[in-house]
């Protein structure tokens, strides 16, 4: 998820703070970064499994993220209700379970929402896990996660991909992505070199600036190498979660998506979003922020392949995916009714 400039400051400390529903079980008023561990089974699940709010297959563990406590045996661990998790409860985790370890903020300003875990990212992670367990579609793929936030989707994909570029903007967001790659590479058994954390500013042109060593600028390590740009253009799959929440950001998102999808190999974009409703003075009704604008960027294709009657043919064609066909591997969130998933293709010659 695209953040603002991602660089802290006194002014940002005074900004209004927001919190993802995913973090409701975290300790209130906690300051700093936190670590949540999401367990999931490698056994393929049937359609809609776990989506009825049934019993959780695992425990989400949470610990404060610091040099002294993160990963330490003395770290205090709580479940999503804030209750202490005893060691024997953790040992009861099934042998077939894997764990995604995600360092994140519990609250943030609107400019730094990429530090949080959002439900749409968990849905897209479910999709990646399901494909990796039940097909070879993503095996050996080169992919790009746009507006990655915590990098959750890219971490799940790194298990089977040839290369995944985990991209966002701002040093704090990218530093946190890199920390999450390092936290998960051993547990999920992937080579850290497969997961490249890189800066991708949606306002910039493509290709992005090329790496030049600058010891005075720590963020320069997130610049791209020429060989990486070539690899990214050969990517066949793009992922984006919860990047649709304002018209301005939606414009920028589809701008960078067009730049990426119009270069190199043919690409498909898998996008998840959560519709968030507010009263609009313009509409004099309760509407989902940015959703109508989002839908204006593509022509909808139904299951038969027919396109809707959009007189203005956009550059993209989208197909809404049935969430009943995406089992819920990560149980520690409630999908609700406002999540959507879209498969979007670039259409360079709309008729």
């Amino acid at each position: 998820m695209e953040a603002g400039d991602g660089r802290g400051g006194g002014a940002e400390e005074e900004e209004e703070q927001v919190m993802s529903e995913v973090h409701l079980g975290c300790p209130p008023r906690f300051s700093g970064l936190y670590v949540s561990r999401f367990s999931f089974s490698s056994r393929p699940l049937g359609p809609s499994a776990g989506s009825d709010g049934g019993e959780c297959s695992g425990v989400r563990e949470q610990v404060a993220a610091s040099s002294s406590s993160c990963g330490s045996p003395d770290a205090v661990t709580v479940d999503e209700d804030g209750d202490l998790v005893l060691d024997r409860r953790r040992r009861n985790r099934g042998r077939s379970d894997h764990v995604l370890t995600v360092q994140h903020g519990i609250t943030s300003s609107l400019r730094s929402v990429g530090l949080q875990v959002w439900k749409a990212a968990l849905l897209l992670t479910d999709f990646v896990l399901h494909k990796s367990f039940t097909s070879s579609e993503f095996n050996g793929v080169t992919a790009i996660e746009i507006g990655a936030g915590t990098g959750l989707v890219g971490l799940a994909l790194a298990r089977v991909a040839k290369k995944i570029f985990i991209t966002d903007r701002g040093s704090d967001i990218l530093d946190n992505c890199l920390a999450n790659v390092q936290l998960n590479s051993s547990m999920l058994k992937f080579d850290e070199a497969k997961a490249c954390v890189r800066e991708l500013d949606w306002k910039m042109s493509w290709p992005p600036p090329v790496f030049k060593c600058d010891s005075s600028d720590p963020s320069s390590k997130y610049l791209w190498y020429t060989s990486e740009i070539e690899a990214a253009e050969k990517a066949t799959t793009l992922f984006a979660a919860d990047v649709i929440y304002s018209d301005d950001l939606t414009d920028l998102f589809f701008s960078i998506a067009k730049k990426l999808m119009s270069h190199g190999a043919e690409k498909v974009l898998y996008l998840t979003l959560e519709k968030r409703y507010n009263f609009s003075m313009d509409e004099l009704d309760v509407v989902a922020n940015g959703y109508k604008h989002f839908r204006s960027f593509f022509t909808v294709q139904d299951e038969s392949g027919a396109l809707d009657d959009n007189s203005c043919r956009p550059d993209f064609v989208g197909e809404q995916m049935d969430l009943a066909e995406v089992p819920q591997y990560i149980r520690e969130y409630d999908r609700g009714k406002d999540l959507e998933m879209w498969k979007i293709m670039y259409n360079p010659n709309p008729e």
Side-chain angles (χ1 to χ4, degrees), residues 42-180:
S42 60
R43 295 185 300 272
L45 305 176
S48 301
S51 60
D52 58 355
E55 185 177 354
C56 223
S57 64
V59 175
R60 184 179 70 181
E61 300 176 8
Q62 301 167 330
V63 298
S66 68
S67 58
S68 59
S69 66
C70 185
S72 165
D74 297 325
V76 175
T77 307
V78 297
D79 64 16
E80 57 188 55
D81 296 320
D83 299 322
L84 182 67
V85 178
L86 301 178
D87 286 343
R88 65 173 181 271
R89 192 174 179 184
R90 293 199 294 270
R91 286 196 297 266
N92 286 337
R93 187 184 285 122
R95 290 185 179 181
S96 63
D97 282 352
H98 300 277
V99 175
L100 274 166
T101 303
V102 184
Q103 178 174 282
H104 60 88
I106 296 177
T107 63
S108 71
S109 67
L110 286 173
R111 294 196 306 157
S112 297
V113 290
L115 288 173
Q116 298 193 56
V117 179
W118 300 89
K119 291 199 292 185
L122 292 170
L123 169 60
L124 194 53
T125 301
D126 276 334
F127 173 73
V128 168
L129 291 174
H130 186 56
K131 286 290 186 181
S132 67
F133 290 147
T134 61
S135 76
S136 59
E137 183 175 339
F138 292 155
N139 289 6
V141 74
T142 297
I144 306 171
E145 184 180 4
I146 308 173
T150 61
L152 181 60
V153 177
L155 295 174
L157 187 68
R159 298 170 54 254
V160 296
K162 176 182 179 181
K163 198 85 165 179
I164 170 68
F165 293 98
I166 301 173
T167 72
D168 213 306
R169 178 188 176 206
S171 296
D172 57 347
I173 306 292
L174 297 170
D175 286 346
N176 192 55
C177 278
L178 183 58
N180 283 330

Side-chain angles (χ1 to χ4, degrees), residues 14 40 53 60 64 103 121 123 151 160 183 186 199 203 210 213 234 238 263-264 271 293 299 310-311 329 337:
E14 300 176 359
F40 61 92
R60 184 179 70 181
Q103 178 174 282
L123 169 60
V160 296
L183 283 169
S186 177
E199 183 158 41
K203 296 179 181 179
V210 176
C213 186
K234 295 177 182 177
L238 308 179
H263 284 79
L271 180 147
H293 190 58
T299 302
N310 190 337
S311 58
Y329 286 81
K337 298 179 179 179

Side-chain angles (χ1 to χ4, degrees), residues 190-201:
F190 66 81
D191 183 351
E192 288 183 16
K194 292 169 54 175
C196 293
V197 177
R198 293 291 177 261
E199 183 158 41
L200 185 61
D201 187 336

Side-chain angles (χ1 to χ4, degrees), residues 8 13 19 24 34 39 53 66 70 72 87 142 163 181 185 205 210 234 240 245 247 259 321:
E13 293 176 1
M19 183 177 73
L24 290 177
Y34 214 64
S39 63
S66 68
C70 185
S72 165
D87 286 343
T142 297
K163 198 85 165 179
V181 169
S185 59
S205 60
V210 176
K234 295 177 182 177
Y245 47 91
D247 288 356
K259 293 170 187 174
M321 302 179 68

